[in-house]
């Protein structure tokens, strides 16, 4: 089992939140090295490392960095997407709590490489505790001369870093919606490439903008400090380095595990202490937006972009949820669809209406009102959402349902035919003291 | 969607009468807003921070007067600011209790007993989702994923996450909260406003002191 703590190397060092301890452990070495390099050489180093975006999409990082104009004539912005919201993911939370200096370092390097003078860290409003650590890291970095004017004595290298707090919206983790929110608007997504320019050409305030995830900036800092060759030698051909996987659900030791790309999925379950409360039934490897994989199909999957993609799921953001055999997949999908119905921003009709219909149909089925043809109806609604909205939220609402029907169709059929859960004792409980009317219906259906 | 935290049904309330103008932003609040607005190339971008300031100044919820004062401070229309305030779940467009209990019931929490905890709270406090106890002490909500899934079940109260909750330990926490002043909606807003201000890790804010920013040793999710 390849647990490799690159980004998490110092996560349990006492006092690591203080800059003197952080510097003593090699954080900020990357900035000192970067400012001695040509800006293009920094981008080339990221390219050589093979780093891909860690927020979920896996887009090659260097292409974004290389896409901004290479001069200071107009303002550019560097944005960190710390609006971690994907169900099952909590890696950015831990990175900000314990490795805030690593994040600040990565963003300073990005500011240098992309001729940007201002950076924003967009942190979800709920993450007050991690945000305080980032505040502390920024304040200390200013004092130590890593932020501000003429950083580390480099004439003309100015970089200011600000925190922008969200206020409760999953949608704002989508980059175009995040830009709307940063500009003080509702978090609605914007028209995207190829219908509109890329953010690197026209992002916030119509200026060239770089947006990366927390983990991506942390990895970029590591790569500059330790050399791209040391990063690129890890992982698989097209997925380099490490990935932090947030393990949760029915698992003995839930935690963030930083693993080498290409690690067999089942090894991670073993490393995390195995399944609790029953046998292994299914895994969602990359956050609630990706397809659920039944236990008997997990064997060939490795934790990298290609292997997950080839096996009908996605590595996504690394929100790795494990479910035991007492879990009712239909109830799980009902809860998933409720999430997307709540979080749909309402801009695009297929997503706004479709996510609610998915929830209503699944709620009806799990309340004992399932009808013949409901499965086809669900698939029909899914196919009318998928690919028909501005951003990926609609797709993300459809994929897990389609995946679950493909993998667990008999469970849906059982619910529709017998009006009760196929696994009897459900992990999503109807409790004897139900007050909530929605759950009351579900409880009645369980009889 | 009757189970949602913030709910669309709340934002579909009756149209409010024109607000009676109030000026509850202190001089310090205006100074904070001006400083934060300076982080952006245009003042409108400070809309989210301004609403956090308003939520603090108005004691934890955004009345129509609060939205009007925010709009005035930013030079925006009432409708524009209200549109933003009603989009985000953490802006309270209806009053909340002194402690807003937001229990995460998303996937990992749901399979680890989150609904049992919700039902226990409903039973013990005598309120349903979205309701407030008659003494104004607690408001109960279901939250969408709070992203601390390794410590399921999670509950956010004010600016703090409480993890590893069970039906056994939840009522002990409720008793502690009754005696506490630290995790109110206004304190949450104050913490966030302070986080937005450079240098505040030295002065603290909300329920935070500089000392509380020291991380505990050993593993922590």
């Amino acid at each position: 089992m390849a647990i490799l703590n690159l980004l998490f190397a110092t996560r349990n060092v006492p006092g690591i939140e203080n800059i003197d301890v952080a510097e003593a452990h090699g954080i900020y070495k990357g900035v000192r090295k970067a400012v001695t390099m040509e800006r293009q050489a920094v981008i080339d180093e990221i390219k050589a490392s093979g780093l891909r975006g860690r927020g979920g999409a896996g887009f090659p990082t260097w292409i974004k960095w290389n896409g901004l104009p290479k001069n200071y004539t107009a303002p550019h912005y560097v944005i960190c997407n710390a609006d971690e919201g994907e169900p099952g993911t909590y890696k950015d939370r831990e990175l900000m709590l314990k490795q805030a200096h690593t994040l600040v370092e990565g963003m300073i390097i990005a500011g240098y490489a992309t001729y940007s003078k201002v950076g924003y860290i967009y942190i979800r409003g709920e993450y007050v505790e991690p945000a305080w650590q980032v505040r502390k890291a920024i304040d200390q970095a200013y004092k130590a001369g890593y932020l501000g004017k003429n950083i580390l004595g480099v004439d003309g290298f100015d970089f200011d870093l600000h925190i922008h707090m969200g206020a409760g919206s999953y949608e704002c983790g989508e980059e175009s919606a995040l830009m709307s929110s940063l500009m003080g608007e509702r978090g609605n997504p914007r028209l995207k490439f190829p219908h509109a320019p890329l953010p690197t050409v026209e992002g916030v305030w119509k200026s060239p903008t770089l947006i990366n995830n927390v983990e991506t900036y942390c990895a970029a800092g590591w790569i500059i400090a330790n050399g791209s060759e040391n990063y690129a030698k890890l992982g698989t051909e097209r997925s380099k380095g490490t990935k932090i996987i947030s393990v949760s659900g029915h698992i003995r030791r839930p935690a963030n595990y930083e693993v080498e790309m290409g690690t067999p999925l089942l090894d991670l379950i073993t490393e995390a202490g195995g399944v609790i409360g029953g046998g292994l039934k299914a895994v969602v490897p990359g956050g609630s937006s990706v397809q659920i994989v039944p236990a008997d199909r997990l064997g060939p999957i490795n934790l990298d972009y290609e292997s997950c993609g080839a096996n009908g799921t996605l590595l996504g953001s690394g929100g790795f949820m494990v479910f035991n055999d007492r879990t009712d997949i239909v109830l799980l999908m009902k809860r998933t669809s409720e999430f997307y119905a709540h979080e749909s921003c309402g801009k695009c009709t297929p997503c706004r209406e479709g996510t609610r219909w998915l929830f209503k149909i699944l709620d009806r089925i799990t309340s004992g009102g399932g009808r013949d043809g409901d499965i086809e109806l669900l698939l029909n609604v899914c196919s009318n959402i998928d690919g028909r909205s501005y951003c990926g939220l609609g797709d993300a609402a459809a994929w897990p349902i389609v995946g679950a029907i493909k993998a667990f169709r008999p469970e849906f059929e059982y619910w529709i035919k017998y009006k009760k859960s196929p696994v009897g004792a459900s992990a999503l409980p109807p409790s004897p003291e139900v007050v909530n009317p929605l759950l009351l219906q579900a409880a009645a259906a369980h009889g | 969607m009757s189970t949602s935290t913030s709910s669309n049904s709340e934002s579909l309330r009756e149209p409010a009468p024109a607000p009676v103008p109030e000026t509850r932003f202190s001089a310090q609040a205006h100074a904070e807003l001006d400083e934060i607005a300076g982080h952006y190339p245009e003042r409108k971008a400070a809309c989210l921070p301004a609403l956090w300031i308003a939520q603090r100044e108005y004691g934890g919820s955004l009345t129509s007067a609060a939205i009007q004062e925010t709009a005035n401070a930013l030079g925006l229309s009432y409708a524009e600011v209200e549109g933003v305030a009603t989009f985000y779940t953490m802006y309270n467009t209806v009053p909340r209790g002194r402690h807003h209990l937001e229990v995460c019931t998303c996937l990992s929490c749901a399979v680890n007993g989150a609904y049992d905890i919700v039902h226990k709270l409903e039973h013990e406090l005598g309120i349903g989702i979205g309701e407030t106890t008659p003494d104004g002490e607690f408001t109960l909500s279901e939250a969408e994923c709070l992203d601390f899934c390794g410590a399921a079940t999670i509950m956010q109260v004010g600016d703090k996450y409480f993890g590893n909750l069970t039906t056994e330990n939840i009522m002990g926490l409720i008793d502690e909260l009754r005696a506490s002043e630290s995790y109110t909606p206004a304190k949450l807003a104050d913490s966030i406003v302070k986080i937005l201000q450079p240098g505040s890790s030295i002065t603290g804010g909300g329920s935070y002191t500089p000392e509380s920013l020291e991380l505990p040793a050993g593993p922590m999710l």
Side-chain angles (χ1 to χ4, degrees):
Chain A
M1 177 69 201
I3 292 287
L4 280 174
N5 285 325
L6 306 187
L7 312 186
F8 273 154
T10 53
R11 72 167 156 177
N12 290 323
V13 173
I16 192 67
E17 71 275 19
N18 296 311
I19 197 163
D20 46 340
V21 180
E23 283 181 312
H25 284 82
I27 301 173
Y28 292 108
K29 206 172 78 183
V31 178
R32 291 184 176 279
K33 191 169 157 193
V35 296
T36 65
M37 298 162 70
E38 289 292 324
R39 288 174 162 89
Q40 188 61 44
V42 174
I43 296 173
D44 290 343
E45 193 73 356
I46 300 295
K47 181 181 181 182
S49 74
L51 177 65
R52 293 168 65 177
R54 296 292 191 245
F59 189 78
T61 303
W62 77 274
I63 295 179
K64 288 189 186 179
W65 288 38
N66 201 40
L68 281 81
K70 297 176 196 301
N71 55 57
Y72 274 117
T73 48
H76 303 169
Y77 299 99
V78 171
I79 298 174
C80 174
N81 183 345
D83 191 62
E84 185 172 51
E86 184 71 14
T89 315
Y90 51 100
K91 63 187 176 67
D92 297 345
R93 177 186 168 82
E94 184 162 6
L95 281 170
M96 287 189 282
L97 263 177
K98 298 201 225 153
Q99 306 271 160
H101 284 292
T102 311
L103 169 62
V104 170
E105 178 188 29
M107 290 195 69
I108 298 167
I109 293 170
Y112 176 77
T114 60
Y115 297 83
S116 305
K117 286 186 185 290
V118 181
Y120 298 99
I121 306 182
Y122 186 113
I123 306 177
R124 69 179 292 182
E126 291 90 343
Y127 273 9
V128 179
E129 294 154 281
W132 268 115
Q133 296 303 332
V134 177
R135 172 84 271 154
K136 184 172 172 176
I138 292 174
D139 289 348
Q140 292 180 349
Y142 268 105
K143 217 170 161 188
Y146 292 113
L147 287 168
K149 304 266 179 232
N150 300 322
I151 293 166
L152 296 173
V154 178
D155 199 29
F157 176 33
D158 306 341
F159 192 64
D160 283 313
L161 197 49
H162 304 297
I163 297 178
H164 185 95
M165 294 295 284
S169 167
Y170 170 72
E171 177 57 21
C172 290
E174 195 279 330
E175 70 176 14
S176 70
L178 184 148
M179 291 193 286
S180 299
S181 184
L182 185 64
M183 291 188 283
E185 297 168 9
R186 290 165 73 90
N188 290 330
R190 287 152 184 268
L191 206 57
K192 294 207 245 190
F193 189 80
H195 309 292
L198 287 165
T200 50
V201 177
E202 208 172 271
V204 281
W205 300 293
K206 299 218 178 274
S207 300
T209 303
L210 174 71
I211 305 188
N212 283 134
N213 175 257
V214 174
E215 192 183 347
T216 313
Y217 283 120
C218 291
W222 191 94
I223 289 161
I224 298 301
N226 297 282
S228 60
E229 67 284 0
N230 287 317
Y231 196 79
K233 75 182 182 197
L234 301 169
T236 67
E237 194 191 336
R238 290 179 56 209
S239 307
K240 298 296 186 191
T242 62
K243 175 84 188 84
I244 302 174
I245 308 285
S246 307
V247 182
S248 68
H250 295 131
I251 191 88
R252 191 167 310 280
R253 288 192 297 274
N256 284 312
Y257 294 85
E258 186 174 359
V259 300
E260 182 175 358
M261 283 280 193
T263 301
L265 186 151
L266 290 173
D267 286 7
L268 179 59
I269 295 181
T270 311
E271 177 70 25
V275 185
I276 53 171
L280 177 62
K281 180 168 190 172
V283 169
V284 175
S288 70
S289 304
V290 313
Q291 290 90 336
I292 193 164
V293 185
D296 60 359
R297 297 221 303 264
L298 290 170
I301 301 182
N302 298 328
L303 294 166
D304 59 62
Y305 297 113
E306 310 91 284
S307 176
C308 285
N311 286 283
T313 187
L314 293 165
L315 185 60
S317 58
F320 189 99
M321 292 180 279
V322 180
F323 300 107
N324 69 21
D325 54 16
R326 295 179 64 223
T327 310
D328 185 318
I329 299 296
V330 185
L331 282 170
L332 198 67
M333 286 303 126
K334 183 197 117 177
R335 188 63 189 83
T336 306
S337 67
E338 187 180 4
F339 173 80
Y340 289 103
H342 179 250
E343 299 297 345
S344 174
C345 79
K347 184 183 179 82
C348 313
T349 310
C351 171
R352 181 185 65 236
E353 303 297 322
T355 51
R356 276 157 182 73
W357 277 112
L358 289 177
F359 171 63
K360 281 181 188 170
I361 298 164
L362 284 161
D363 187 42
R364 178 157 54 74
I365 294 173
T366 53
S367 305
R371 303 170 196 152
D372 288 342
D374 269 354
I375 294 176
E376 287 67 32
L377 185 58
L378 283 170
L379 291 172
N380 182 290
V381 174
C382 287
S383 71
N384 279 297
I385 303 174
D386 194 0
R388 289 167 201 244
S389 49
Y390 269 38
C391 81
L393 193 146
D395 307 348
W399 292 341
I401 311 270
V402 174
I405 292 176
K406 212 179 276 176
F408 294 100
R409 193 178 180 109
E411 294 207 12
F412 288 82
E413 289 167 347
Y414 189 99
W415 259 110
I416 291 168
K417 190 167 178 192
Y418 299 106
K419 321 288 185 204
K420 61 179 183 180
S421 168
V423 294
S426 170
L428 290 170
S431 132
E433 295 162 15
V434 181
V435 186
N436 183 320
L438 269 179
L439 294 163
L440 199 71
Q441 292 163 17
H446 277 262
Chain B
M1 294 312 304
S2 59
T3 56
S4 306
T5 321
S6 60
S7 120
N8 300 324
S9 59
E10 282 166 15
S11 49
L12 287 175
R13 66 199 190 286
E14 289 290 305
V20 180
E22 283 183 59
T23 45
R24 285 167 66 173
F25 276 34
S26 61
Q28 190 205 346
H30 281 290
E32 286 169 339
L33 178 56
D34 288 343
E35 184 191 5
I36 293 166
H39 299 169
Y40 307 96
E42 57 181 35
R43 195 170 171 84
K44 179 191 168 191
C47 191
L48 271 71
L51 284 166
W52 281 120
I53 292 173
Q55 190 147 307
R56 180 189 66 190
E57 299 296 308
Y58 281 77
S61 63
L62 294 171
T63 58
S64 49
I67 290 171
Q68 184 65 64
E69 191 173 0
T70 309
N72 294 345
L74 292 168
L76 298 174
S77 74
Y78 179 89
E80 202 161 1
V81 177
E82 192 194 31
V84 174
T86 52
F87 183 87
Y88 298 93
T89 59
M90 291 176 77
Y91 293 130
N92 299 328
T93 47
V94 291
R96 308 287 189 193
R98 198 166 69 90
H99 295 106
H100 188 188
L101 311 175
E102 299 189 75
V103 184
C104 178
T105 59
C106 211
L107 305 179
S108 290
C109 287
V111 300
N112 277 299
Y115 282 105
D116 288 339
I117 289 168
V118 169
H119 299 143
K120 175 109 180 170
L121 288 170
E122 286 177 325
H123 186 75
E124 295 284 335
L125 301 174
I127 50 174
I129 298 284
E131 293 175 359
T132 304
T133 51
D135 59 2
E137 192 69 14
F138 297 105
T139 300
L140 180 61
S141 291
E142 256 186 88
E144 293 298 351
C145 191
L146 294 173
D147 284 278
F148 192 16
C149 318
T153 296
I154 303 300
M155 179 169 76
Q156 183 181 16
V157 187
D159 59 6
K160 193 165 171 61
Y161 276 18
F162 296 92
N164 295 313
L165 298 176
T166 63
T167 48
E168 281 75 45
N169 65 22
I170 184 73
M171 293 318 291
L173 174 59
I174 294 295
D175 290 340
E176 281 174 38
L177 287 173
R178 271 186 214 280
S180 164
E181 287 293 333
S182 297
Y183 308 114
T184 63
K187 281 272 175 64
L188 164 66
D190 189 34
S191 269
I192 288 181
V193 174
K194 289 291 174 356
I195 285 167
L196 300 173
Q197 290 168 33
S200 60
S201 68
I202 298 145
T203 53
S207 51
Y208 281 80
T209 60
E211 292 72 45
S212 72
L213 291 179
E214 302 294 324
L215 290 174
M220 179 178 61
L221 282 174

